[in-house]
Amino acid sequence: MSSTGTSTPAGGLDLSLLKITRNPAPGVLPPSNTLVFGQTPTDHMLTVEWNLGTGFEAPEIKPYGPLSLDPSASVLHYSTTMFEGMKAYKDKNGVARLFRPNKNMERFNDGAARMGFPAVDGEVFTELIKKLVDVDEHWIPTDPGCSLYIRPTMIGTKAGLGVTASTSVLLYVILSPAGPYYASGRKPISLLASTEHTRAFPGGTGNRKFGLNYAGGIVPQTQAAKLGYNQILWLLGERHMLTEVGMMNLFVSFRRPDGTVELVTPPLADLILPGVTRDSVLCLARAHADPTTPFRIAGFPEKLVVSERELYMSDLVAAQANGTLAEIFGTGTAAILLAVERIGYMNSDLKIPTGADGMGPLATALLREIEGRQIGEIESEWSVIV
Ligand SMILES: *Cc1c(COP(=O)(O)O)cnc(C)c1O
């Protein structure tokens, strides 16, 4: 970081140039039971402009408000937009914490490289996000299961209709308080396995948080909801390979003949979004499965085997029929973990075991462990103090 001048020699993100303009009319955090996901902006946002010639300008924290864009801006025509999703949580001492922000930074930069956007210094960007969270700290709800959702975004702002790499971008971050995912407890969800629509495909960008990956899912999601299903189970190809659940990663567990439980998730490639929650589940499950580590997932005494391998609808149908299907759940920052109780597939419903309280034993134990680490009840290096 440079300590002089108005921009760094390399034009990198510079924390020392941060300018903060306070909102003269700060709002009030609504009661958490009235919060609708992503509908309540906080008082401030962070913005940083970037140009090919000069690099990043001085970062600014300023009152939340509309952006001004040229009508021919690249983002408005060719979907040059990418985002991240992360959260700040307050621990029992009122200290704000982030969860594995380095993973979000890694993913953001992978996306930027694919989109032809500039890379950001992940450590500096994390510090800027911490400053923003700190300025809007009173917007972090403290009720159980609540958090402050953080949405880092980068858009191509270059004016002109040519389909070329954007020579100017806007990096910005907005915040929104998030209530508990389900006000009335964590209900299991139903999925419609779509044999008609595809979310991601080989060679595509489904493994990035690009705006363009989500637009095509809106109508199928609305249709699924009309048929009484919560989300889509995204399949690929003639063999109906399983990929993801709505905007969550997919996990399936099977009970093997030798009594061990196999936890399976589709392998990362260009189809699967590399979820931070997915990675957290895999880390915990692998540590549990490894007899040379002392770590065990609390409340889950059974032996685990962890696999990243392809799964097909025929595997689910067979395991459901012979009683070896144990649990199915989706993972993501918004809900952490949601159990699946039913999958609509080829005009019939597959019933998925969920356990008495609507969530199977592995999902329950993993949820407790991850949530505990997020809110700092379980100390770990994954939790980063703001
Ligand atoms: C964001 C996202 C996920 C979950 O990622 P997390 O980092 O765990 O929040 C999974 N699938 C898709 C398609 C996503 O956009």
Side-chain angles (χ1 to χ4, degrees):
M1 263 180 289
S2 103
S3 53
T4 56
T6 53
S7 78
T8 54
L13 271 185
D14 190 341
L15 181 64
S16 71
L17 299 178
L18 175 64
K19 196 176 124 204
I20 301 180
T21 308
R22 297 266 169 182
N23 190 325
V28 181
L29 175 65
S32 43
N33 61 357
T34 66
L35 292 170
V36 179
F37 177 75
Q39 292 292 322
T40 311
T42 63
D43 294 329
H44 298 91
M45 61 183 185
L46 170 81
T47 64
V48 197
E49 286 180 32
W50 174 91
N51 290 288
L52 185 60
T54 51
F56 285 100
E57 307 278 317
E60 275 189 84
I61 289 175
K62 58 189 181 190
Y64 182 93
L67 305 173
S68 174
L69 291 174
D70 189 284
S72 70
S74 163
V75 60
L76 300 177
H77 299 269
Y78 309 123
S79 301
T80 49
T81 175
M82 50 171 255
F83 61 95
E84 264 306 319
M86 51 204 287
K87 283 178 164 181
Y89 313 83
K90 271 212 178 150
D91 66 20
K92 58 180 182 301
N93 302 317
V95 176
R97 292 162 176 263
L98 303 177
F99 184 67
R100 310 187 75 191
N102 56 317
K103 300 296 287 180
N104 298 95
M105 295 299 118
E106 211 177 279
R107 191 167 67 190
F108 197 68
N109 277 326
D110 283 346
R114 180 69 178 82
M115 188 71 92
F117 281 176
V120 298
D121 180 321
E123 281 177 31
V124 177
F125 193 28
T126 301
E127 289 306 311
L128 288 167
I129 290 171
K130 286 187 190 175
K131 292 272 190 218
L132 178 66
V133 169
D134 192 45
V135 167
D136 276 345
E137 198 235 316
H138 69 284
W139 283 94
I140 310 177
T142 51
D143 292 334
C146 296
S147 56
L148 182 67
Y149 186 76
I150 305 171
R151 174 52 68 90
T153 310
M154 188 138 64
I155 60 174
T157 52
K158 189 186 82 141
L161 297 176
V163 187
T164 54
S166 213
T167 49
S168 63
V169 309
L170 179 70
L171 173 66
Y172 67 95
V173 183
I174 53 176
L175 309 172
S176 180
Y181 199 78
Y182 281 109
S184 52
R186 209 166 261 280
K187 290 201 200 94
I189 58 169
S190 56
L191 306 177
L192 179 62
S194 177
T195 52
E196 194 184 339
H197 303 286
T198 302
R199 192 195 87 84
F201 40 85
T205 56
N207 57 341
R208 316 287 188 198
K209 279 181 128 55
F210 286 179
L212 62 94
N213 294 332
Y214 302 86
I218 293 171
V219 166
Q221 166 63 35
T222 309
Q223 290 167 344
K226 273 205 190 113
L227 295 171
Y229 297 93
N230 296 111
Q231 306 210 1
I232 302 254
L233 176 58
W234 296 107
L235 307 178
L236 181 75
E238 305 270 286
R239 289 181 63 199
H240 297 167
M241 186 168 84
L242 287 91
T243 63
E244 295 202 54
V245 178
M247 284 178 71
M248 292 186 287
N249 291 117
L250 170 77
F251 284 86
V252 181
S253 71
F254 301 94
R255 188 162 293 284
R256 291 173 152 188
D258 67 0
T260 60
V261 172
E262 187 195 16
L263 179 63
V264 185
T265 194
L268 293 181
D270 41 16
L271 300 175
I272 306 294
L273 199 292
V276 178
T277 323
R278 175 188 183 276
D279 185 74
S280 304
V281 165
L282 286 175
C283 286
L284 295 169
R286 287 202 168 111
H288 178 102
D290 179 354
T292 67
T293 76
F295 175 80
R296 297 293 172 266
I297 300 167
F300 189 77
E302 298 185 70
K303 270 207 174 135
L304 262 187
V305 177
V306 182
S307 314
E308 286 178 81
R309 62 175 173 89
E310 289 174 1
L311 280 170
Y312 297 87
M313 280 309 295
S314 55
D315 300 329
L316 286 199
V317 172
Q320 201 264 356
N322 68 23
T324 56
L325 183 61
E327 298 179 41
I328 299 185
F329 54 90
T331 65
T333 296
I336 310 174
L337 201 151
L338 287 177
V340 174
E341 64 172 355
R342 183 168 67 101
I343 299 175
Y345 177 60
M346 309 282 254
N347 301 316
S348 70
D349 272 356
L350 274 183
K351 184 109 185 50
I352 314 299
T354 52
D357 58 357
M359 194 178 260
L362 180 55
T364 303
L366 283 165
L367 173 65
R368 203 178 297 133
E369 182 75 35
I370 292 175
E371 200 168 26
R373 288 170 183 239
Q374 288 172 335
I375 62 177
E377 228 150 67
I378 301 170
E379 270 305 335
S380 79
E381 71 228 28
W382 285 353
S383 182
V384 173
I385 287 175
V386 167

